[in-house]
Protein backbone atom coordinates (compact mmCIF):
# COMPACT_ATOMS: atom_id res chain seq x y z
CA UNK A 1 0.00 0.00 0.00
CA UNK A 2 1.32 3.43 -0.86
CA UNK A 3 0.00 6.40 1.08
CA UNK A 4 2.98 8.66 0.33
CA UNK A 5 1.29 10.41 -2.56
CA UNK A 6 2.74 13.47 -4.24
CA UNK A 7 0.56 15.93 -2.39
CA UNK A 8 1.59 18.31 0.38
CA UNK A 9 -1.45 17.53 2.53
CA UNK A 10 -0.65 13.84 2.57
CA UNK A 11 2.93 14.54 3.56
CA UNK A 12 1.62 16.53 6.50
CA UNK A 13 -0.43 13.59 7.75
CA UNK A 14 2.58 11.28 8.02
CA UNK A 15 -0.09 9.07 6.74
CA UNK A 16 4.31 -23.19 -7.35
CA UNK A 17 6.49 -25.30 -5.50
CA UNK A 18 4.94 -28.36 -7.14
CA UNK A 19 1.14 -28.17 -6.80
CA UNK A 20 0.96 -31.48 -4.97
CA UNK A 21 3.22 -30.27 -2.15
CA UNK A 22 1.88 -26.80 -1.34
CA UNK A 23 -1.31 -25.48 0.08
CA UNK A 24 -2.31 -22.02 -1.09
CA UNK A 25 -3.20 -23.22 -4.60
CA UNK A 26 -6.75 -23.57 -5.86
CA UNK A 27 -7.03 -25.63 -9.06
CA UNK A 28 -10.05 -24.74 -11.18
CA UNK A 29 -10.47 -26.49 -14.55
CA UNK A 30 -7.68 -25.17 -16.72
CA UNK A 31 -6.15 -22.85 -14.16
CA UNK A 32 -5.15 -22.31 -10.55
CA UNK A 33 -4.76 -19.49 -8.04
CA UNK A 34 -1.75 -19.24 -5.74
CA UNK A 35 -1.47 -17.13 -2.58
CA UNK A 36 1.79 -16.96 -0.65
CA UNK A 37 3.10 -14.98 2.31
CA UNK A 38 6.65 -14.42 3.55
CA UNK A 39 7.24 -12.73 6.89
CA UNK A 40 10.59 -10.96 6.61
CA UNK A 41 10.67 -9.46 10.10
CA UNK A 42 13.06 -12.11 11.41
CA UNK A 43 14.99 -12.69 8.16
CA UNK A 44 18.46 -11.37 7.32
CA UNK A 45 19.13 -9.71 10.71
CA UNK A 46 21.35 -6.69 11.17
CA UNK A 47 21.51 -3.11 10.01
CA UNK A 48 22.63 -3.65 6.42
CA UNK A 49 21.47 -6.11 3.79
CA UNK A 50 25.05 -6.23 2.49
CA UNK A 51 26.26 -7.94 5.65
CA UNK A 52 23.13 -9.77 6.80
CA UNK A 53 23.70 -13.52 7.20
CA UNK A 54 22.42 -15.40 4.15
CA UNK A 55 21.50 -12.30 2.16
CA UNK A 56 24.40 -12.60 -0.30
CA UNK A 57 23.28 -16.06 -1.37
CA UNK A 58 19.67 -14.95 -1.74
CA UNK A 59 20.70 -11.94 -3.83
CA UNK A 60 22.80 -14.13 -6.10
CA UNK A 61 19.52 -15.69 -7.25
CA UNK A 62 18.04 -12.47 -8.66
CA UNK A 63 19.04 -10.00 -11.38
CA UNK A 64 21.77 -7.39 -11.17
CA UNK A 65 19.19 -4.64 -11.61
CA UNK A 66 17.18 -5.91 -8.66
CA UNK A 67 20.31 -6.21 -6.52
CA UNK A 68 21.14 -2.56 -7.17
CA UNK A 69 17.67 -1.47 -6.15
CA UNK A 70 17.79 -3.54 -2.97
CA UNK A 71 21.25 -2.30 -1.98
CA UNK A 72 20.06 1.26 -2.51
CA UNK A 73 17.35 0.97 0.14
CA UNK A 74 17.96 3.26 3.10
CA UNK A 75 16.43 0.89 5.65
CA UNK A 76 17.15 -2.83 5.91
CA UNK A 77 13.45 -3.53 6.53
CA UNK A 78 12.68 -2.25 3.03
CA UNK A 79 15.59 -4.21 1.56
CA UNK A 80 14.32 -7.42 3.16
CA UNK A 81 10.87 -6.98 1.64
CA UNK A 82 12.27 -6.17 -1.81
CA UNK A 83 14.52 -9.23 -1.74
CA UNK A 84 11.70 -11.53 -0.65
CA UNK A 85 9.48 -10.05 -3.35
CA UNK A 86 12.05 -10.76 -6.07
CA UNK A 87 12.47 -14.35 -4.90
CA UNK A 88 8.72 -15.01 -4.70
CA UNK A 89 8.13 -13.78 -8.25
CA UNK A 90 10.80 -16.14 -9.60
CA UNK A 91 9.44 -19.04 -7.63
CA UNK A 92 5.95 -18.53 -9.01
CA UNK A 93 7.06 -18.05 -12.63
CA UNK A 94 9.46 -21.00 -12.60
CA UNK A 95 6.76 -23.32 -11.31
CA UNK A 96 3.89 -21.95 -13.41
CA UNK A 97 5.86 -22.17 -16.68
CA UNK A 98 7.89 -25.25 -15.81
CA UNK A 99 11.18 -23.50 -16.58
CA UNK A 100 14.51 -23.33 -14.80
CA UNK A 101 15.06 -20.64 -12.16
CA UNK A 102 17.78 -19.01 -14.29
CA UNK A 103 15.42 -18.84 -17.29
CA UNK A 104 12.96 -16.57 -15.50
CA UNK A 105 12.89 -13.09 -17.01
CA UNK A 106 10.86 -10.15 -15.76
CA UNK A 107 9.66 -6.93 -17.37
CA UNK A 108 6.75 -4.52 -17.04
CA UNK A 109 3.63 -4.27 -19.14
CA UNK A 110 3.14 -0.93 -20.84
CA UNK A 111 5.21 1.61 -18.94
CA UNK A 112 8.74 0.15 -18.50
CA UNK A 113 9.13 1.88 -15.12
CA UNK A 114 5.66 1.83 -13.56
CA UNK A 115 3.81 -0.91 -15.48
CA UNK A 116 2.65 -4.13 -13.88
CA UNK A 117 5.45 -6.73 -13.56
CA UNK A 118 5.14 -9.69 -15.92
CA UNK A 119 7.10 -12.69 -17.20
CA UNK A 120 8.74 -12.42 -20.63
CA UNK A 121 10.68 -14.77 -22.90
CA UNK A 122 14.28 -14.33 -24.07
CA UNK A 123 13.39 -11.62 -26.60
CA UNK A 124 11.09 -9.70 -24.25
CA UNK A 125 7.68 -11.00 -25.38
CA UNK A 126 5.08 -11.12 -22.64
CA UNK A 127 4.23 -14.71 -21.72
CA UNK A 128 0.45 -15.03 -21.78
CA UNK A 129 -1.60 -17.26 -19.53
CA UNK A 130 -0.10 -16.25 -16.18
CA UNK A 131 -0.49 -13.14 -14.07
CA UNK A 132 0.82 -12.22 -10.65
CA UNK A 133 0.99 -9.35 -8.22
CA UNK A 134 2.98 -8.62 -5.06
CA UNK A 135 2.41 -6.34 -2.10
CA UNK A 136 4.59 -5.65 0.91
CA UNK A 137 4.05 -3.66 4.07
CA UNK A 138 5.76 -3.44 7.45
CA UNK A 139 7.69 -6.70 7.04
CA UNK A 140 5.10 -8.86 5.26
CA UNK A 141 5.32 -9.77 1.56
CA UNK A 142 2.35 -11.41 -0.17
CA UNK A 143 1.84 -12.78 -3.68
CA UNK A 144 -1.23 -13.77 -5.64
CA UNK A 145 -0.65 -15.65 -8.88
CA UNK A 146 -2.85 -16.92 -11.69
CA UNK A 147 -1.67 -19.86 -13.76
CA UNK A 148 -3.97 -20.43 -16.73
CA UNK A 149 -1.95 -23.59 -17.42
CA UNK A 150 -1.18 -22.52 -20.97
CA UNK A 151 1.04 -25.31 -22.39
CA UNK A 152 3.87 -23.28 -23.93
CA UNK A 153 6.77 -24.82 -25.79
CA UNK A 154 10.18 -23.21 -26.11
CA UNK A 155 12.85 -22.99 -28.79
CA UNK A 156 16.50 -23.68 -28.08
CA UNK A 157 17.06 -19.95 -27.55
CA UNK A 158 14.36 -19.82 -24.83
CA UNK A 159 11.84 -17.97 -27.02
CA UNK A 160 8.22 -19.08 -27.02
CA UNK A 161 7.33 -21.36 -29.92
CA UNK A 162 3.58 -21.15 -29.30
CA UNK A 163 0.93 -23.38 -27.80
CA UNK A 164 1.51 -27.09 -27.85
CA UNK A 165 -2.19 -27.59 -28.55
CA UNK A 166 -4.24 -24.78 -30.13
CA UNK A 167 -7.40 -26.52 -28.89
CA UNK A 168 -6.31 -26.55 -25.26
CA UNK A 169 -8.98 -25.45 -22.77
CA UNK A 170 -7.48 -22.21 -21.49
CA UNK A 171 -8.67 -19.47 -19.18
CA UNK A 172 -7.26 -16.36 -20.79
CA UNK A 173 -7.73 -12.85 -19.51
CA UNK A 174 -7.65 -13.47 -15.75
CA UNK A 175 -5.76 -10.74 -13.91
CA UNK A 176 -4.96 -10.54 -10.21
CA UNK A 177 -4.12 -7.84 -7.67
CA UNK A 178 -3.16 -7.76 -4.01
CA UNK A 179 -2.56 -5.22 -1.27
CA UNK A 180 -1.44 -5.28 2.36
CA UNK A 181 -2.25 -2.56 4.88
CA UNK A 182 -1.05 -2.17 8.44
CA UNK A 183 -3.59 -0.30 10.52
CA UNK A 184 -1.27 0.52 13.42
CA UNK A 185 1.80 1.57 11.44
CA UNK A 186 1.14 5.29 11.21
CA UNK A 187 0.30 8.09 13.62
CA UNK A 188 -3.08 9.00 12.18
CA UNK A 189 -4.25 10.46 15.50
CA UNK A 190 -2.14 13.59 15.09
CA UNK A 191 -4.52 14.89 12.42
CA UNK A 192 -7.65 13.29 13.90
CA UNK A 193 -7.14 15.06 17.24
CA UNK A 194 -6.89 18.47 15.56
CA UNK A 195 -9.44 18.13 12.75
CA UNK A 196 -11.63 15.23 13.81
CA UNK A 197 -12.04 11.95 11.98
CA UNK A 198 -14.20 13.67 9.37
CA UNK A 199 -11.43 16.13 8.51
CA UNK A 200 -8.88 13.35 8.35
CA UNK A 201 -11.02 11.22 6.02
CA UNK A 202 -11.62 14.21 3.73
CA UNK A 203 -7.90 14.43 3.05
CA UNK A 204 -8.53 11.46 0.74
CA UNK A 205 -11.41 12.97 -1.21
CA UNK A 206 -9.47 12.50 -4.45
CA UNK A 207 -9.48 8.72 -3.86
CA UNK A 208 -12.88 8.00 -2.33
CA UNK A 209 -16.37 9.02 -3.39
CA UNK A 210 -18.63 11.17 -1.22
CA UNK A 211 -20.68 8.12 -0.22
CA UNK A 212 -17.60 6.08 0.68
CA UNK A 213 -16.23 8.88 2.86
CA UNK A 214 -19.58 9.38 4.59
CA UNK A 215 -19.65 5.68 5.47
CA UNK A 216 -16.09 5.82 6.82
CA UNK A 217 -17.00 8.72 9.09
CA UNK A 218 -20.35 7.61 10.46
CA UNK A 219 -20.82 3.87 9.92
CA UNK A 220 -19.36 1.22 12.18
CA UNK A 221 -18.88 -2.53 11.90
CA UNK A 222 -18.11 -3.37 15.51
CA UNK A 223 -16.13 -2.02 18.42
CA UNK A 224 -13.51 -4.12 20.18
CA UNK A 225 -13.46 -3.49 23.92
CA UNK A 226 -10.37 -3.75 26.07
CA UNK A 227 -11.40 -7.18 27.35
CA UNK A 228 -11.51 -8.51 23.77
CA UNK A 229 -15.29 -8.60 23.50
CA UNK A 230 -17.18 -6.93 20.64
CA UNK A 231 -20.07 -4.51 20.45
CA UNK A 232 -22.15 -4.72 17.28
CA UNK A 233 -23.23 -1.73 15.22
CA UNK A 234 -26.77 -2.19 16.57
CA UNK A 235 -25.56 -2.12 20.19
CA UNK A 236 -23.57 1.04 19.52
CA UNK A 237 -26.59 2.82 18.05
CA UNK A 238 -26.25 6.53 17.34
CA UNK A 239 -22.91 6.68 19.10
CA UNK A 240 -21.61 5.77 15.65
CA UNK A 241 -21.79 9.51 14.86
CA UNK A 242 -18.88 10.19 17.21
CA UNK A 243 -15.79 11.43 15.33
CA UNK A 244 -13.48 12.42 18.21
CA UNK A 245 -11.34 10.59 20.73
CA UNK A 246 -11.35 10.94 24.51
CA UNK A 247 -15.13 10.97 24.92
CA UNK A 248 -16.96 8.83 27.44
CA UNK A 249 -19.56 6.54 25.83
CA UNK A 250 -22.22 4.50 27.60
CA UNK A 251 -24.25 1.95 25.64
CA UNK A 252 -27.39 0.29 26.93
CA UNK A 253 -27.50 -3.29 25.69
CA UNK A 254 -30.69 -5.26 24.88
CA UNK A 255 -30.16 -7.09 28.17
CA UNK A 256 -30.53 -3.80 30.01
CA UNK A 257 -26.89 -3.68 31.07
CA UNK A 258 -24.72 -0.67 30.34
CA UNK A 259 -21.23 -0.80 28.83
CA UNK A 260 -18.94 2.18 29.33
CA UNK A 261 -15.89 2.77 27.17
CA UNK A 262 -13.75 5.50 25.64
CA UNK A 263 -14.56 6.81 22.17
CA UNK A 264 -10.96 5.96 21.28
CA UNK A 265 -12.18 2.40 20.76
CA UNK A 266 -14.79 3.74 18.33
CA UNK A 267 -12.26 5.82 16.36
CA UNK A 268 -9.94 2.82 16.27
CA UNK A 269 -12.74 0.76 14.69
CA UNK A 270 -13.44 3.47 12.11
CA UNK A 271 -9.75 3.66 11.22
CA UNK A 272 -9.81 -0.09 10.63
CA UNK A 273 -12.83 0.42 8.39
CA UNK A 274 -11.02 3.18 6.47
CA UNK A 275 -8.04 0.91 5.83
CA UNK A 276 -10.40 -1.83 4.65
CA UNK A 277 -11.69 0.53 1.98
CA UNK A 278 -8.13 1.53 1.11
CA UNK A 279 -6.97 -2.07 0.84
CA UNK A 280 -9.86 -2.98 -1.44
CA UNK A 281 -9.26 -0.01 -3.71
CA UNK A 282 -5.52 -0.56 -3.98
CA UNK A 283 -5.82 -4.28 -4.80
CA UNK A 284 -8.41 -3.51 -7.48
CA UNK A 285 -6.34 -0.86 -9.26
CA UNK A 286 -3.35 -3.19 -9.16
CA UNK A 287 -5.24 -5.56 -11.44
CA UNK A 288 -4.03 -3.37 -14.29
CA UNK A 289 -1.01 -1.85 -12.57
CA UNK A 290 -2.45 1.66 -12.36
CA UNK A 291 -1.65 3.95 -9.46
CA UNK A 292 -3.91 5.60 -6.92
CA UNK A 293 -3.99 8.74 -9.04
CA UNK A 294 -5.81 6.95 -11.86
CA UNK A 295 -8.43 9.38 -13.22
CA UNK A 296 -11.27 6.93 -12.56
CA UNK A 297 -10.31 6.20 -8.95
CA UNK A 298 -13.32 8.00 -7.40
CA UNK A 299 -15.68 6.28 -9.84
CA UNK A 300 -14.65 2.94 -8.35
CA UNK A 301 -16.85 2.40 -5.29
CA UNK A 302 -17.23 -0.34 -2.71
CA UNK A 303 -20.47 -1.06 -0.88
CA UNK A 304 -21.40 -3.34 2.04
CA UNK A 305 -17.83 -2.96 3.28
CA UNK A 306 -17.10 -4.78 6.52
CA UNK A 307 -13.69 -4.80 8.17
CA UNK A 308 -12.50 -8.31 9.09
CA UNK A 309 -12.09 -9.02 12.76
CA UNK A 310 -8.41 -9.23 13.71
CA UNK A 311 -6.36 -12.32 14.37
CA UNK A 312 -4.31 -12.86 17.50
CA UNK A 313 -1.04 -10.98 17.96
CA UNK A 314 2.32 -12.66 17.48
CA UNK A 315 3.52 -13.51 20.97
CA UNK A 316 6.89 -15.22 21.15
CA UNK A 317 7.43 -15.48 17.40
CA UNK A 318 6.49 -13.69 14.20
CA UNK A 319 3.97 -16.38 13.25
CA UNK A 320 0.79 -14.54 14.05
CA UNK A 321 -2.66 -15.92 13.51
CA UNK A 322 -5.05 -15.30 10.66
CA UNK A 323 -8.31 -13.53 11.43
CA UNK A 324 -11.66 -13.25 9.69
CA UNK A 325 -12.19 -13.51 5.92
CA UNK A 326 -14.73 -11.26 4.18
CA UNK A 327 -15.64 -11.95 0.55
CA UNK A 328 -19.03 -10.35 -0.04
CA UNK A 329 -18.11 -6.74 -0.85
CA UNK A 330 -19.93 -5.17 -3.81
CA UNK A 331 -17.87 -3.39 -6.47
CA UNK A 332 -19.26 -0.59 -8.64
CA UNK A 333 -17.74 1.47 -11.44
CA UNK A 334 -19.55 4.59 -12.65
CA UNK A 335 -22.63 3.50 -10.73
CA UNK A 336 -22.82 0.04 -12.30
CA UNK A 337 -21.95 -3.21 -10.56
CA UNK A 338 -18.75 -4.89 -11.73
CA UNK A 339 -19.76 -8.52 -12.26
CA UNK A 340 -16.48 -10.04 -13.48
CA UNK A 341 -14.44 -9.41 -10.35
CA UNK A 342 -14.01 -11.36 -7.11
CA UNK A 343 -12.51 -9.76 -4.03
CA UNK A 344 -11.59 -10.97 -0.57
CA UNK A 345 -9.99 -9.38 2.46
CA UNK A 346 -8.53 -11.17 5.46
CA UNK A 347 -6.87 -9.96 8.64
CA UNK A 348 -3.52 -11.17 9.91
CA UNK A 349 -2.45 -10.63 13.50
CA UNK A 350 -4.01 -7.54 15.07
CA UNK A 351 -2.92 -4.90 12.61
CA UNK A 352 -2.61 -6.34 9.09
CA UNK A 353 -5.21 -6.86 6.39
CA UNK A 354 -4.64 -8.38 2.95
CA UNK A 355 -7.03 -7.86 0.04
CA UNK A 356 -7.03 -9.93 -3.14
CA UNK A 357 -8.76 -9.17 -6.44
CA UNK A 358 -9.36 -11.34 -9.51
CA UNK A 359 -10.98 -10.12 -12.71
CA UNK A 360 -11.92 -11.77 -15.99
CA UNK A 361 -13.21 -15.30 -16.44
CA UNK A 362 -13.50 -15.84 -12.68
CA UNK A 363 -16.70 -17.88 -12.56
CA UNK A 364 -16.07 -20.76 -10.18
CA UNK A 365 -12.72 -19.41 -9.02
CA UNK A 366 -11.90 -19.21 -5.33
CA UNK A 367 -8.95 -17.53 -3.68
CA UNK A 368 -7.36 -20.10 -1.36
CA UNK A 369 -6.01 -19.36 2.07
CA UNK A 370 -2.48 -18.03 2.22
CA UNK A 371 0.46 -20.39 2.57
CA UNK A 372 3.29 -18.98 4.66
CA UNK A 373 6.51 -19.89 2.87
CA UNK A 374 9.67 -20.95 4.65
CA UNK A 375 12.55 -19.07 3.04
CA UNK A 376 14.97 -21.98 3.11
CA UNK A 377 12.76 -25.04 2.58
CA UNK A 378 10.27 -23.54 0.12
CA UNK A 379 12.29 -20.95 -1.78
CA UNK A 380 16.07 -21.34 -1.58
CA UNK A 381 16.04 -25.14 -1.71
CA UNK A 382 13.72 -25.03 -4.72
CA UNK A 383 15.99 -22.53 -6.47
CA UNK A 384 19.02 -24.76 -5.88
CA UNK A 385 17.25 -27.84 -7.23
CA UNK A 386 15.89 -26.06 -10.33
CA UNK A 387 18.60 -23.50 -11.03
CA UNK A 388 19.46 -24.68 -14.54
CA UNK A 389 16.67 -27.13 -15.33
CA UNK A 390 12.90 -27.30 -14.66
Amino acid sequence: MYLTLDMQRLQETGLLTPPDSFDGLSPIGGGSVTTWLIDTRSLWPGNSILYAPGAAHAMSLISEEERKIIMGKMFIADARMSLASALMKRLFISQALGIAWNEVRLARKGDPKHGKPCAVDAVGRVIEGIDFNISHQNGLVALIGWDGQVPHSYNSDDTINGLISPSADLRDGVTVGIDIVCVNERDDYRTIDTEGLDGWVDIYEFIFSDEERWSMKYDIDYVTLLDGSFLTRHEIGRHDRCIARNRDISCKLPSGNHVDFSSERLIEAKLRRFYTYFCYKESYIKLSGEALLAPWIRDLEFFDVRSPKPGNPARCSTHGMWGEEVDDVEVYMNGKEVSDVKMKIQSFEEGFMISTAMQGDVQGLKVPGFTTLDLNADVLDYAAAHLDHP
Side-chain angles (χ1 to χ4, degrees):
M1 183 192 68
Y2 299 95
L3 289 176
T4 54
L5 303 177
D6 187 20
M7 302 185 71
Q8 182 177 0
R9 187 63 182 278
L10 285 183
Q11 293 173 348
E12 292 173 352
T13 66
L15 209 101
L16 280 156
T17 50
D20 59 355
S21 63
F22 265 172
D23 294 326
L25 185 148
S26 176
I28 303 290
S32 59
V33 183
T34 297
T35 48
W36 290 336
L37 180 78
I38 288 184
D39 188 341
T40 70
R41 290 173 291 183
S42 61
L43 299 179
W44 305 303
N47 297 319
S48 171
I49 199 71
L50 293 174
Y51 307 108
H57 171 59
M59 287 206 288
S60 72
L61 299 171
I62 62 177
S63 69
E64 178 64 25
E65 180 182 3
E66 288 168 315
R67 286 195 290 270
K68 289 180 179 179
I69 293 173
I70 291 169
M71 290 187 291
K73 299 290 184 182
M74 180 177 297
F75 301 107
I76 190 172
D78 295 327
R80 291 186 191 113
M81 291 188 291
S82 292
L83 179 51
S85 173
L87 293 169
M88 288 175 80
K89 285 182 282 192
R90 278 169 172 73
L91 179 65
F92 173 72
I93 295 169
S94 173
Q95 293 177 354
L97 297 178
I99 61 176
W101 184 278
N102 282 338
E103 293 174 353
V104 173
R105 294 173 177 84
L106 292 159
R108 291 183 180 270
K109 298 178 181 177
D111 189 308
K113 185 176 182 181
H114 302 292
K116 186 176 183 179
C118 61
V120 297
D121 70 3
V123 295
R125 293 180 297 181
V126 176
I127 300 176
E128 302 296 339
I130 70 168
D131 193 59
F132 60 90
N133 195 225
I134 293 243
S135 181
H136 49 77
Q137 190 76 10
N138 206 26
L140 299 187
V141 184
L143 173 144
I144 183 171
W146 164 252
D147 176 9
Q149 298 184 1
V150 178
H152 297 102
S153 64
Y154 295 84
N155 299 314
S156 59
D157 61 355
D158 293 333
T159 58
I160 301 172
N161 186 41
L163 299 180
I164 294 175
S165 173
S167 62
D169 181 18
L170 309 177
R171 281 182 183 267
D172 292 329
V174 173
T175 58
V176 293
I178 193 169
D179 187 53
I180 304 177
V181 295
C182 183
V183 178
N184 304 320
E185 185 180 16
R186 294 157 29 87
D187 183 15
D188 298 315
Y189 291 133
R190 182 179 60 177
T191 303
I192 291 172
D193 287 344
T194 57
E195 301 187 26
L197 181 75
D198 55 344
W200 181 81
V201 168
D202 283 340
I203 293 173
Y204 304 93
E205 62 181 349
F206 58 95
I207 297 176
F208 299 107
S209 69
D210 294 343
E211 187 162 353
E212 286 177 317
R213 297 199 323 276
W214 192 95
S215 183
M216 294 173 194
K217 297 172 188 177
Y218 305 118
D219 285 339
I220 197 74
D221 300 317
Y222 54 85
V223 168
T224 307
L225 301 179
L226 291 176
D227 63 1
S229 62
F230 297 96
L231 291 179
T232 68
R233 63 196 312 168
H234 301 295
E235 292 171 327
I236 294 164
R238 285 286 72 92
H239 291 299
D240 60 6
R241 295 301 183 260
C242 178
I243 55 174
R245 297 199 302 161
N246 303 315
R247 304 286 191 272
D248 294 328
I249 294 178
S250 180
C251 289
K252 184 177 180 178
L253 304 182
S255 63
N257 296 328
H258 284 80
V259 176
D260 300 321
F261 60 96
S262 169
S263 65
E264 183 164 349
R265 311 305 297 176
L266 191 66
I267 300 304
E268 185 178 274
K270 291 186 177 184
L271 275 174
R272 187 173 183 85
R273 184 173 171 80
F274 166 85
Y275 280 105
T276 302
Y277 272 97
F278 205 108
C279 201
Y280 275 138
K281 191 152 291 198
E282 177 81 348
S283 64
Y284 185 97
I285 64 176
K286 289 176 72 178
L287 288 167
S288 60
E290 295 190 62
L292 281 173
L293 295 182
W296 47 266
I297 190 69
R298 293 183 83 250
D299 298 322
L300 170 68
E301 296 181 284
F302 296 92
F303 295 97
D304 289 337
V305 171
R306 178 166 56 88
S307 56
K309 291 181 180 178
N312 293 329
R315 297 298 184 188
C316 300
S317 72
T318 58
H319 299 289
M321 293 185 63
W322 291 96
E324 184 183 15
E325 290 185 19
V326 177
D327 62 2
D328 57 357
V329 69
E330 296 179 1
V331 186
Y332 280 73
M333 180 71 77
N334 295 315
K336 296 182 178 180
E337 187 171 8
V338 181
S339 60
D340 66 342
V341 66
K342 284 193 174 182
M343 304 198 68
K344 183 176 81 170
I345 192 166
Q346 185 174 13
S347 58
F348 179 76
E349 297 181 356
E350 289 183 307
F352 291 99
M353 291 184 283
I354 305 177
S355 172
T356 56
M358 299 188 300
Q359 190 166 33
D361 185 8
V362 296
Q363 187 67 33
L365 285 179
K366 178 179 174 60
V367 177
F370 278 85
T371 295
T372 301
L373 300 185
D374 180 273
L375 177 69
N376 291 312
D378 297 327
V379 183
L380 300 183
D381 288 354
Y382 176 92
H386 300 85
L387 199 60
D388 297 310
H389 58 83

